[in-house]
Amino acid sequence: EPEVTQTPSHQVTQMGQEVILRCVPISNHLYFYWYRQILGQKVEFLVSFYNNEISEKSEIFDDQFSVERPDGSNFTLKIRSTKLEDSAMYFCASSELGQGYEQYFGPGTRLTVT
Amino acid sequence: QKEVEQDPGPLSVPEGAIVSLNCTYSNSAFQYFMWYRQYSRKGPELLMYTYSSGNKEDGRFTAQVDKSSKYISLFIRDSQPSDSATYLCAMSAREYGNKLVFGAGTILRVKS
């Protein structure tokens, strides 16, 4: 069964450093998403991406964040200068075009900022 | 008022019990209603989705949506210890694109 994969599973970084989280969405999906979940809190939407452009983004997704589809399979989230409060699980998800209600999530990357 | 509210539990039931999980919401624009299961430190797993009001059944799971009351439910029949997880409701509205708005999740423990 096709699935979304994410790497790394755990990333530890120092405050102020840049991190890139990587995702491989399901191959025939055209919509990609990033969500985050701070420990003990709700899953929160960050951004959606379609046709090499951001479709929607939340207030959380400020200038420190960027997304990219560098090739035909990967989808990345970059955090330019990490802050302590960026520590969270980051989930990538994907869906088919027109089926945003059917989003499939990856296993997540746990980001720890020290 | 929070956009989506969900009792965090934990909800403890004996094996074989019928489980009822619920969410309420405030935004009448929501049209799609999803239930996800999340095991500890794992990604959310889509169980089922429903469009607008009504019921949907998939095996031991039944989802119900009552838009007039802004209330959704997930029923699990013949619950198993392997059903022990956090259950997240999520919702979306066409006017917000594909953004999912999640509840806080209900921790379910099924005791054998």
Side-chain angles (χ1 to χ4, degrees):
Chain A
E1 187 173 318
E3 57 182 19
V4 176
T5 58
Q6 291 185 242
T7 54
S9 57
H10 188 197
Q11 173 95 48
V12 182
T13 189
Q14 288 191 325
M15 201 165 51
Q17 296 297 304
E18 174 183 287
V19 294
I20 297 175
L21 310 182
R22 291 181 167 78
C23 167
V24 178
I26 293 172
S27 62
N28 63 327
H29 286 184
L30 297 178
Y31 249 103
F32 315 121
Y33 314 86
W34 285 101
Y35 291 81
R36 79 171 185 191
Q37 186 176 31
I38 295 170
L39 188 63
Q41 296 187 25
K42 290 185 180 186
V43 175
E44 300 174 287
F45 170 80
L46 292 178
V47 67
S48 62
F49 189 87
Y50 167 69
N51 200 26
N52 280 319
E53 288 184 352
I54 290 175
S55 297
E56 297 100 29
K57 60 182 182 178
S58 71
E59 316 80 60
I60 305 167
F61 193 88
D62 60 22
D63 293 343
Q64 295 282 68
F65 293 89
S66 61
V67 289
E68 192 180 30
R69 182 131 163 100
D71 54 47
S73 58
N74 289 282
F75 179 50
T76 62
L77 174 69
K78 182 194 290 186
I79 309 174
R80 251 178 281 283
S81 177
T82 50
K83 303 188 277 278
L84 294 176
E85 53 265 38
D86 294 326
S87 295
M89 284 288 284
Y90 287 81
F91 296 108
C92 174
S94 68
S95 69
E96 293 187 45
L97 184 62
Q99 295 185 10
Y101 47 82
E102 204 169 346
Q103 295 181 25
Y104 293 90
F105 282 70
T109 292
R110 184 153 61 103
L111 176 65
T112 302
V113 182
T114 61
Chain B
Q1 184 182 16
K2 290 181 183 175
E3 209 165 11
V4 180
E5 301 219 42
Q6 188 175 7
D7 186 335
L11 176 63
S12 288
V13 300
E15 183 175 354
I18 296 174
V19 174
S20 172
L21 302 163
N22 311 293
C23 286
T24 58
Y25 62 95
S26 57
N27 190 342
S28 57
F30 287 135
Q31 299 164 299
Y32 286 95
F33 305 90
M34 283 64 72
W35 285 97
Y36 284 84
R37 178 173 62 195
Q38 186 176 29
Y39 294 110
S40 182
R41 298 204 178 252
K42 301 292 184 187
E45 174 194 358
L46 180 64
L47 291 174
M48 51 201 309
Y49 65 87
T50 312
Y51 173 69
S52 194
S53 283
N55 293 1
K56 187 173 184 178
E57 190 174 317
D58 184 0
R60 295 186 296 115
F61 298 90
T62 299
Q64 278 186 359
V65 174
D66 181 350
K67 288 197 75 180
S68 62
S69 303
K70 297 190 179 71
Y71 188 88
I72 70 170
S73 301
L74 178 71
F75 298 96
I76 307 174
R77 288 183 298 283
D78 187 25
S79 55
Q80 303 295 309
S82 57
D83 294 328
S84 298
T86 299
Y87 289 80
L88 311 172
C89 64
M91 307 179 187
S92 68
R94 197 166 286 135
E95 64 198 61
Y96 303 143
N98 289 338
K99 163 188 166 182
L100 297 185
V101 180
F102 281 85
T106 298
I107 297 169
L108 173 66
R109 296 182 183 141
V110 182
K111 301 169 291 184
S112 57

Tab-separated table of all heavy atoms in Angstrom, chain A residues 31 33 35 37 39 41-45 48 56 59 89 91 95 100-108 110, chain B residues 2-5 32 34 36 38 41-46 49 88 92 96-104:
chain	number	residue	atom	x	y	z
A	31	TYR	N	-1.462	17.228	-4.210
A	31	TYR	CA	-1.551	18.236	-3.152
A	31	TYR	C	-0.698	17.763	-1.976
A	31	TYR	O	-0.794	16.600	-1.577
A	31	TYR	CB	-2.999	18.389	-2.679
A	31	TYR	CG	-3.644	19.696	-3.053
A	31	TYR	CD1	-4.540	19.773	-4.104
A	31	TYR	CD2	-3.361	20.852	-2.342
A	31	TYR	CE1	-5.144	20.968	-4.452
A	31	TYR	CE2	-3.965	22.054	-2.676
A	31	TYR	CZ	-4.862	22.109	-3.735
A	31	TYR	OH	-5.458	23.296	-4.068
A	33	TYR	N	1.040	18.813	1.984
A	33	TYR	CA	0.768	19.623	3.177
A	33	TYR	C	1.859	19.395	4.216
A	33	TYR	O	2.479	18.334	4.274
A	33	TYR	CB	-0.571	19.201	3.821
A	33	TYR	CG	-1.708	19.041	2.863
A	33	TYR	CD1	-1.915	17.835	2.192
A	33	TYR	CD2	-2.600	20.078	2.630
A	33	TYR	CE1	-2.955	17.670	1.295
A	33	TYR	CE2	-3.655	19.922	1.738
A	33	TYR	CZ	-3.819	18.717	1.083
A	33	TYR	OH	-4.866	18.558	0.207
A	35	TYR	N	1.913	19.843	8.492
A	35	TYR	CA	1.234	20.129	9.763
A	35	TYR	C	2.274	19.964	10.865
A	35	TYR	O	3.289	19.298	10.681
A	35	TYR	CB	0.101	19.126	10.019
A	35	TYR	CG	-1.080	19.246	9.098
A	35	TYR	CD1	-1.068	18.698	7.826
A	35	TYR	CD2	-2.240	19.896	9.520
A	35	TYR	CE1	-2.158	18.794	6.978
A	35	TYR	CE2	-3.358	20.001	8.681
A	35	TYR	CZ	-3.297	19.445	7.421
A	35	TYR	OH	-4.394	19.546	6.593
A	37	GLN	N	2.633	19.313	15.323
A	37	GLN	CA	1.960	18.986	16.578
A	37	GLN	C	2.961	19.183	17.703
A	37	GLN	O	3.885	18.374	17.866
A	37	GLN	CB	1.434	17.544	16.551
A	37	GLN	CG	0.590	17.188	17.770
A	37	GLN	CD	0.000	15.787	17.656
A	37	GLN	OE1	0.593	14.891	17.055
A	37	GLN	NE2	-1.169	15.585	18.243
A	39	LEU	N	4.039	18.930	21.466
A	39	LEU	CA	3.731	17.877	22.422
A	39	LEU	C	2.530	18.225	23.289
A	39	LEU	O	2.481	19.293	23.919
A	39	LEU	CB	4.956	17.623	23.312
A	39	LEU	CG	4.865	16.414	24.239
A	39	LEU	CD1	4.746	15.119	23.437
A	39	LEU	CD2	6.083	16.349	25.163
A	41	GLN	N	-0.424	18.981	22.276
A	41	GLN	CA	-1.355	19.932	21.672
A	41	GLN	C	-1.958	19.373	20.380
A	41	GLN	O	-1.647	18.270	19.958
A	41	GLN	CB	-0.636	21.260	21.406
A	41	GLN	CG	-0.166	21.937	22.678
A	41	GLN	CD	0.400	23.326	22.427
A	41	GLN	OE1	0.044	23.978	21.438
A	41	GLN	NE2	1.266	23.777	23.322
A	42	LYS	N	-2.828	20.175	19.788
A	42	LYS	CA	-3.522	19.748	18.570
A	42	LYS	C	-2.582	19.695	17.379
A	42	LYS	O	-1.561	20.387	17.343
A	42	LYS	CB	-4.593	20.781	18.217
A	42	LYS	CG	-5.782	20.838	19.133
A	42	LYS	CD	-6.797	21.833	18.562
A	42	LYS	CE	-8.003	21.922	19.465
A	42	LYS	NZ	-9.062	22.772	18.877
A	43	VAL	N	-2.962	18.920	16.384
A	43	VAL	CA	-2.303	18.974	15.083
A	43	VAL	C	-2.737	20.289	14.422
A	43	VAL	O	-3.930	20.595	14.359
A	43	VAL	CB	-2.724	17.770	14.217
A	43	VAL	CG1	-2.132	17.879	12.829
A	43	VAL	CG2	-2.303	16.456	14.887
A	44	GLU	N	-1.745	21.049	13.943
A	44	GLU	CA	-2.039	22.374	13.371
A	44	GLU	C	-1.562	22.434	11.924
A	44	GLU	O	-0.439	22.028	11.612
A	44	GLU	CB	-1.288	23.466	14.128
A	44	GLU	CG	-1.602	23.580	15.597
A	44	GLU	CD	-0.678	24.599	16.244
A	44	GLU	OE1	0.516	24.297	16.424
A	44	GLU	OE2	-1.166	25.713	16.566
A	45	PHE	N	-2.378	22.993	11.082
A	45	PHE	CA	-2.042	23.179	9.675
A	45	PHE	C	-0.961	24.253	9.529
A	45	PHE	O	-1.026	25.307	10.181
A	45	PHE	CB	-3.301	23.599	8.926
A	45	PHE	CG	-3.093	24.052	7.515
A	45	PHE	CD1	-2.934	23.139	6.487
A	45	PHE	CD2	-3.064	25.406	7.211
A	45	PHE	CE1	-2.751	23.559	5.185
A	45	PHE	CE2	-2.881	25.840	5.922
A	45	PHE	CZ	-2.726	24.917	4.893
A	48	SER	N	-0.255	24.354	2.548
A	48	SER	CA	-0.574	23.407	1.484
A	48	SER	C	0.072	23.893	0.197
A	48	SER	O	0.325	25.094	0.015
A	48	SER	CB	-2.085	23.247	1.308
A	48	SER	OG	-2.670	24.470	0.927
A	56	GLU	N	-2.415	27.536	0.443
A	56	GLU	CA	-2.850	28.214	1.669
A	56	GLU	C	-1.721	28.112	2.681
A	56	GLU	O	-0.910	27.186	2.632
A	56	GLU	CB	-4.087	27.547	2.289
A	56	GLU	CG	-5.345	27.566	1.466
A	56	GLU	CD	-5.579	26.254	0.757
A	56	GLU	OE1	-5.142	25.201	1.261
A	56	GLU	OE2	-6.196	26.271	-0.324
A	59	GLU	N	-1.094	31.323	9.967
A	59	GLU	CA	-0.351	32.427	10.594
A	59	GLU	C	0.992	31.927	11.130
A	59	GLU	O	1.937	32.681	11.290
A	59	GLU	CB	-1.133	33.054	11.750
A	59	GLU	CG	-2.605	33.289	11.481
A	59	GLU	CD	-3.416	32.006	11.653
A	59	GLU	OE1	-3.415	31.432	12.766
A	59	GLU	OE2	-4.018	31.586	10.651
A	89	MET	N	6.456	17.760	16.541
A	89	MET	CA	6.388	16.754	15.473
A	89	MET	C	5.882	17.458	14.225
A	89	MET	O	4.893	18.191	14.277
A	89	MET	CB	5.416	15.630	15.840
A	89	MET	CG	5.945	14.643	16.835
A	89	MET	SD	7.218	13.558	16.154
A	89	MET	CE	6.218	12.433	15.179
A	91	PHE	N	4.438	16.809	10.489
A	91	PHE	CA	3.842	15.785	9.644
A	91	PHE	C	3.658	16.318	8.229
A	91	PHE	O	3.139	17.413	8.029
A	91	PHE	CB	2.473	15.352	10.178
A	91	PHE	CG	2.518	14.687	11.519
A	91	PHE	CD1	2.043	15.333	12.644
A	91	PHE	CD2	3.035	13.405	11.650
A	91	PHE	CE1	2.082	14.719	13.893
A	91	PHE	CE2	3.069	12.781	12.896
A	91	PHE	CZ	2.599	13.451	14.013
A	95	SER	N	-2.614	14.400	-0.801
A	95	SER	CA	-3.943	13.993	-1.244
A	95	SER	C	-4.021	14.110	-2.758
A	95	SER	O	-3.221	14.817	-3.392
A	95	SER	CB	-5.038	14.849	-0.602
A	95	SER	OG	-5.014	16.183	-1.087
A	100	GLY	N	-9.161	16.811	-1.025
A	100	GLY	CA	-8.461	17.335	0.150
A	100	GLY	C	-8.979	16.789	1.463
A	100	GLY	O	-8.316	16.882	2.489
A	101	TYR	N	-10.172	16.190	1.415
A	101	TYR	CA	-10.727	15.578	2.611
A	101	TYR	C	-10.098	14.214	2.890
A	101	TYR	O	-10.342	13.615	3.936
A	101	TYR	CB	-12.252	15.419	2.466
A	101	TYR	CG	-12.663	14.815	1.143
A	101	TYR	CD1	-12.627	13.434	0.963
A	101	TYR	CD2	-13.037	15.625	0.082
A	101	TYR	CE1	-12.964	12.881	-0.257
A	101	TYR	CE2	-13.370	15.078	-1.142
A	101	TYR	CZ	-13.349	13.709	-1.314
A	101	TYR	OH	-13.678	13.173	-2.506
A	102	GLU	N	-9.303	13.724	1.983
A	102	GLU	CA	-8.684	12.410	2.135
A	102	GLU	C	-7.157	12.588	2.141
A	102	GLU	O	-6.470	12.242	1.179
A	102	GLU	CB	-9.134	11.505	0.986
A	102	GLU	CG	-9.065	10.045	1.289
A	102	GLU	CD	-9.760	9.182	0.236
A	102	GLU	OE1	-10.534	9.730	-0.596
A	102	GLU	OE2	-9.529	7.973	0.255
A	103	GLN	N	-6.669	13.127	3.234
A	103	GLN	CA	-5.239	13.397	3.360
A	103	GLN	C	-4.574	12.248	4.115
A	103	GLN	O	-5.060	11.828	5.168
A	103	GLN	CB	-4.997	14.725	4.088
A	103	GLN	CG	-5.511	15.923	3.301
A	103	GLN	CD	-5.256	17.245	3.986
A	103	GLN	OE1	-4.336	17.383	4.796
A	103	GLN	NE2	-6.072	18.237	3.653
A	104	TYR	N	-3.461	11.810	3.568
A	104	TYR	CA	-2.702	10.717	4.171
A	104	TYR	C	-1.418	11.279	4.750
A	104	TYR	O	-0.683	11.992	4.064
A	104	TYR	CB	-2.426	9.626	3.129
A	104	TYR	CG	-3.704	8.945	2.708
A	104	TYR	CD1	-4.447	9.431	1.635
A	104	TYR	CD2	-4.198	7.860	3.421
A	104	TYR	CE1	-5.642	8.842	1.273
A	104	TYR	CE2	-5.392	7.260	3.064
A	104	TYR	CZ	-6.111	7.758	1.994
A	104	TYR	OH	-7.310	7.174	1.642
A	105	PHE	N	-1.187	10.936	5.999
A	105	PHE	CA	-0.082	11.507	6.747
A	105	PHE	C	1.118	10.564	6.794
A	105	PHE	O	0.968	9.339	6.835
A	105	PHE	CB	-0.522	11.813	8.182
A	105	PHE	CG	-1.347	13.064	8.305
A	105	PHE	CD1	-2.635	13.116	7.806
A	105	PHE	CD2	-0.830	14.192	8.923
A	105	PHE	CE1	-3.408	14.270	7.917
A	105	PHE	CE2	-1.591	15.350	9.043
A	105	PHE	CZ	-2.877	15.383	8.534
A	106	GLY	N	2.291	11.176	6.850
A	106	GLY	CA	3.505	10.416	7.096
A	106	GLY	C	3.699	10.186	8.586
A	106	GLY	O	2.915	10.667	9.404
A	107	PRO	N	4.769	9.464	8.942
A	107	PRO	CA	5.022	9.121	10.344
A	107	PRO	C	5.542	10.288	11.171
A	107	PRO	O	5.572	10.209	12.398
A	107	PRO	CB	6.073	8.016	10.251
A	107	PRO	CG	6.772	8.281	8.958
A	107	PRO	CD	5.740	8.859	8.038
A	108	GLY	N	5.976	11.352	10.511
A	108	GLY	CA	6.415	12.534	11.233
A	108	GLY	C	7.916	12.618	11.438
A	108	GLY	O	8.628	11.598	11.422
A	110	ARG	N	10.356	14.272	14.364
A	110	ARG	CA	10.375	14.959	15.661
A	110	ARG	C	11.550	15.930	15.650
A	110	ARG	O	12.699	15.509	15.521
A	110	ARG	CB	10.525	13.951	16.789
A	110	ARG	CG	10.454	14.578	18.182
A	110	ARG	CD	9.960	13.577	19.206
A	110	ARG	NE	10.828	12.428	19.337
A	110	ARG	CZ	11.688	12.231	20.331
A	110	ARG	NH1	11.819	13.165	21.258
A	110	ARG	NH2	12.396	11.142	20.401
B	2	LYS	N	-13.744	27.526	21.048
B	2	LYS	CA	-12.803	26.862	20.161
B	2	LYS	C	-13.553	26.387	18.916
B	2	LYS	O	-14.723	26.012	18.968
B	2	LYS	CB	-12.174	25.659	20.866
B	2	LYS	CG	-11.219	26.054	21.974
B	2	LYS	CD	-10.607	24.821	22.619
B	2	LYS	CE	-9.723	25.217	23.777
B	2	LYS	NZ	-9.216	24.038	24.498
B	3	GLU	N	-12.820	26.344	17.791
B	3	GLU	CA	-13.439	25.963	16.538
B	3	GLU	C	-13.904	24.505	16.552
B	3	GLU	O	-14.973	24.173	16.051
B	3	GLU	CB	-12.445	26.188	15.400
B	3	GLU	CG	-13.091	26.509	14.092
B	3	GLU	CD	-12.128	27.080	13.068
B	3	GLU	OE1	-10.912	27.052	13.273
B	3	GLU	OE2	-12.619	27.554	12.038
B	4	VAL	N	-13.075	23.626	17.100
B	4	VAL	CA	-13.409	22.207	17.220
B	4	VAL	C	-13.082	21.767	18.642
B	4	VAL	O	-11.953	21.953	19.097
B	4	VAL	CB	-12.608	21.349	16.218
B	4	VAL	CG1	-12.971	19.874	16.373
B	4	VAL	CG2	-12.861	21.812	14.794
B	5	GLU	N	-14.050	21.178	19.302
B	5	GLU	CA	-13.844	20.741	20.682
B	5	GLU	C	-13.992	19.235	20.768
B	5	GLU	O	-14.904	18.631	20.174
B	5	GLU	CB	-14.833	21.433	21.618
B	5	GLU	CG	-14.713	22.936	21.597
B	5	GLU	CD	-14.882	23.581	22.958
B	5	GLU	OE1	-14.344	23.061	23.956
B	5	GLU	OE2	-15.556	24.604	23.025
B	32	TYR	N	-16.752	18.710	5.353
B	32	TYR	CA	-16.154	17.385	5.397
B	32	TYR	C	-15.677	17.114	6.816
B	32	TYR	O	-15.082	17.983	7.458
B	32	TYR	CB	-14.965	17.289	4.433
B	32	TYR	CG	-15.377	17.213	2.986
B	32	TYR	CD1	-15.436	18.356	2.198
B	32	TYR	CD2	-15.719	15.997	2.403
B	32	TYR	CE1	-15.827	18.296	0.879
B	32	TYR	CE2	-16.108	15.922	1.077
B	32	TYR	CZ	-16.160	17.074	0.324
B	32	TYR	OH	-16.548	16.999	-0.983
B	34	MET	N	-13.690	14.226	9.241
B	34	MET	CA	-12.792	13.085	9.175
B	34	MET	C	-12.498	12.570	10.578
B	34	MET	O	-12.529	13.329	11.558
B	34	MET	CB	-11.456	13.518	8.542
B	34	MET	CG	-11.468	13.682	7.024
B	34	MET	SD	-12.547	14.989	6.404
B	34	MET	CE	-11.632	16.456	6.896
B	36	TYR	N	-9.392	10.409	12.410
B	36	TYR	CA	-8.051	9.850	12.330
B	36	TYR	C	-7.740	9.111	13.628
B	36	TYR	O	-8.211	9.476	14.698
B	36	TYR	CB	-7.003	10.957	12.149
B	36	TYR	CG	-6.931	11.546	10.762
B	36	TYR	CD1	-7.803	12.561	10.358
B	36	TYR	CD2	-5.964	11.104	9.857
B	36	TYR	CE1	-7.720	13.106	9.083
B	36	TYR	CE2	-5.873	11.646	8.575
B	36	TYR	CZ	-6.757	12.646	8.203
B	36	TYR	OH	-6.665	13.185	6.942
B	38	GLN	N	-4.430	7.921	15.924
B	38	GLN	CA	-3.002	8.216	16.095
B	38	GLN	C	-2.452	7.405	17.253
B	38	GLN	O	-2.876	7.572	18.395
B	38	GLN	CB	-2.790	9.715	16.339
B	38	GLN	CG	-1.329	10.124	16.388
B	38	GLN	CD	-1.120	11.613	16.544
B	38	GLN	OE1	-1.944	12.310	17.134
B	38	GLN	NE2	-0.016	12.127	16.017
B	41	ARG	N	3.333	8.805	19.233
B	41	ARG	CA	4.494	9.253	18.448
B	41	ARG	C	4.461	8.763	16.999
B	41	ARG	O	5.513	8.583	16.382
B	41	ARG	CB	5.789	8.860	19.131
B	41	ARG	CG	5.959	9.514	20.503
B	41	ARG	CD	7.401	9.597	20.897
B	41	ARG	NE	7.583	10.266	22.182
B	41	ARG	CZ	8.089	11.476	22.316
B	41	ARG	NH1	8.453	12.163	21.250
B	41	ARG	NH2	8.238	12.022	23.498
B	42	LYS	N	3.246	8.566	16.457
B	42	LYS	CA	3.100	8.188	15.056
B	42	LYS	C	2.246	9.231	14.337
B	42	LYS	O	1.664	10.122	14.968
B	42	LYS	CB	2.413	6.812	14.926
B	42	LYS	CG	3.138	5.686	15.622
B	42	LYS	CD	4.448	5.355	14.955
B	42	LYS	CE	5.095	4.156	15.614
B	42	LYS	NZ	6.454	3.921	15.091
B	43	GLY	N	2.166	9.115	13.029
B	43	GLY	CA	1.339	10.026	12.262
B	43	GLY	C	-0.129	9.658	12.330
B	43	GLY	O	-0.477	8.496	12.544
B	44	PRO	N	-1.023	10.633	12.139
B	44	PRO	CA	-2.460	10.324	12.094
B	44	PRO	C	-2.782	9.416	10.910
B	44	PRO	O	-2.277	9.616	9.808
B	44	PRO	CB	-3.098	11.711	11.917
B	44	PRO	CG	-2.078	12.690	12.386
B	44	PRO	CD	-0.759	12.078	12.037
B	45	GLU	N	-3.647	8.453	11.171
B	45	GLU	CA	-4.065	7.479	10.159
B	45	GLU	C	-5.538	7.716	9.859
B	45	GLU	O	-6.378	7.667	10.771
B	45	GLU	CB	-3.842	6.063	10.699
B	45	GLU	CG	-4.363	4.943	9.836
B	45	GLU	CD	-4.404	3.623	10.600
B	45	GLU	OE1	-3.992	3.577	11.785
B	45	GLU	OE2	-4.879	2.635	10.022
B	46	LEU	N	-5.859	7.990	8.611
B	46	LEU	CA	-7.242	8.267	8.236
B	46	LEU	C	-8.097	7.017	8.389
B	46	LEU	O	-7.811	5.985	7.797
B	46	LEU	CB	-7.298	8.775	6.795
B	46	LEU	CG	-8.677	9.106	6.243
B	46	LEU	CD1	-9.322	10.264	7.007
B	46	LEU	CD2	-8.591	9.444	4.751
B	49	TYR	N	-14.070	9.388	6.325
B	49	TYR	CA	-14.535	10.750	6.172
B	49	TYR	C	-16.006	10.722	5.772
B	49	TYR	O	-16.494	9.753	5.201
B	49	TYR	CB	-13.707	11.514	5.141
B	49	TYR	CG	-13.819	10.983	3.734
B	49	TYR	CD1	-14.827	11.408	2.874
B	49	TYR	CD2	-12.918	10.046	3.259
B	49	TYR	CE1	-14.931	10.905	1.593
B	49	TYR	CE2	-13.016	9.533	1.979
B	49	TYR	CZ	-14.025	9.970	1.147
B	49	TYR	OH	-14.133	9.467	-0.119
B	88	LEU	N	-8.625	11.417	16.624
B	88	LEU	CA	-8.699	12.831	16.271
B	88	LEU	C	-9.842	13.059	15.298
B	88	LEU	O	-9.925	12.357	14.281
B	88	LEU	CB	-7.407	13.293	15.598
B	88	LEU	CG	-6.076	12.954	16.265
B	88	LEU	CD1	-4.919	13.333	15.348
B	88	LEU	CD2	-5.943	13.678	17.572
B	92	SER	N	-13.038	20.198	7.415
B	92	SER	CA	-12.581	21.151	6.409
B	92	SER	C	-13.781	21.836	5.771
B	92	SER	O	-14.901	21.313	5.785
B	92	SER	CB	-11.721	20.462	5.353
B	92	SER	OG	-12.489	19.573	4.574
B	96	TYR	N	-11.946	27.342	2.957
B	96	TYR	CA	-10.611	27.375	3.551
B	96	TYR	C	-9.634	26.509	2.758
B	96	TYR	O	-8.550	26.196	3.245
B	96	TYR	CB	-10.650	26.891	5.005
B	96	TYR	CG	-11.585	27.665	5.903
B	96	TYR	CD1	-12.314	27.011	6.892
B	96	TYR	CD2	-11.746	29.028	5.770
B	96	TYR	CE1	-13.186	27.699	7.712
B	96	TYR	CE2	-12.613	29.731	6.582
B	96	TYR	CZ	-13.332	29.066	7.549
B	96	TYR	OH	-14.189	29.749	8.366
B	97	GLY	N	-10.021	26.124	1.574
B	97	GLY	CA	-9.174	25.247	0.790
B	97	GLY	C	-9.153	23.862	1.398
B	97	GLY	O	-10.169	23.358	1.857
B	98	ASN	N	-7.974	23.258	1.437
B	98	ASN	CA	-7.856	21.884	1.922
B	98	ASN	C	-7.355	21.810	3.357
B	98	ASN	O	-7.035	20.735	3.838
B	98	ASN	CB	-6.912	21.099	1.020
B	98	ASN	CG	-7.525	20.834	-0.343
B	98	ASN	OD1	-8.726	20.863	-0.501
B	98	ASN	ND2	-6.678	20.596	-1.323
B	99	LYS	N	-7.299	22.931	4.025
B	99	LYS	CA	-6.805	22.953	5.402
B	99	LYS	C	-7.697	22.119	6.308
B	99	LYS	O	-8.921	22.260	6.292
B	99	LYS	CB	-6.781	24.405	5.882
B	99	LYS	CG	-6.691	24.605	7.376
B	99	LYS	CD	-6.873	26.088	7.699
B	99	LYS	CE	-7.136	26.292	9.177
B	99	LYS	NZ	-7.358	27.713	9.489
B	100	LEU	N	-7.099	21.219	7.075
B	100	LEU	CA	-7.842	20.449	8.063
B	100	LEU	C	-7.718	21.146	9.410
B	100	LEU	O	-6.628	21.569	9.803
B	100	LEU	CB	-7.303	19.023	8.175
B	100	LEU	CG	-7.399	18.132	6.943
B	100	LEU	CD1	-6.932	16.718	7.293
B	100	LEU	CD2	-8.804	18.108	6.387
B	101	VAL	N	-8.834	21.241	10.114
B	101	VAL	CA	-8.852	21.763	11.486
B	101	VAL	C	-9.126	20.583	12.399
B	101	VAL	O	-10.148	19.898	12.257
B	101	VAL	CB	-9.928	22.843	11.658
B	101	VAL	CG1	-9.930	23.371	13.094
B	101	VAL	CG2	-9.704	23.987	10.667
B	102	PHE	N	-8.206	20.346	13.309
B	102	PHE	CA	-8.277	19.160	14.166
B	102	PHE	C	-8.824	19.482	15.545
B	102	PHE	O	-8.642	20.586	16.073
B	102	PHE	CB	-6.875	18.565	14.352
B	102	PHE	CG	-6.391	17.750	13.202
B	102	PHE	CD1	-5.775	18.343	12.120
B	102	PHE	CD2	-6.541	16.362	13.203
B	102	PHE	CE1	-5.323	17.579	11.048
B	102	PHE	CE2	-6.085	15.598	12.153
B	102	PHE	CZ	-5.478	16.208	11.072
B	103	GLY	N	-9.475	18.474	16.134
B	103	GLY	CA	-9.759	18.502	17.554
B	103	GLY	C	-8.508	18.076	18.319
B	103	GLY	O	-7.517	17.641	17.726
B	104	ALA	N	-8.592	18.175	19.639
B	104	ALA	CA	-7.422	17.874	20.476
B	104	ALA	C	-7.156	16.382	20.579
B	104	ALA	O	-6.055	15.974	20.956
B	104	ALA	CB	-7.624	18.458	21.862
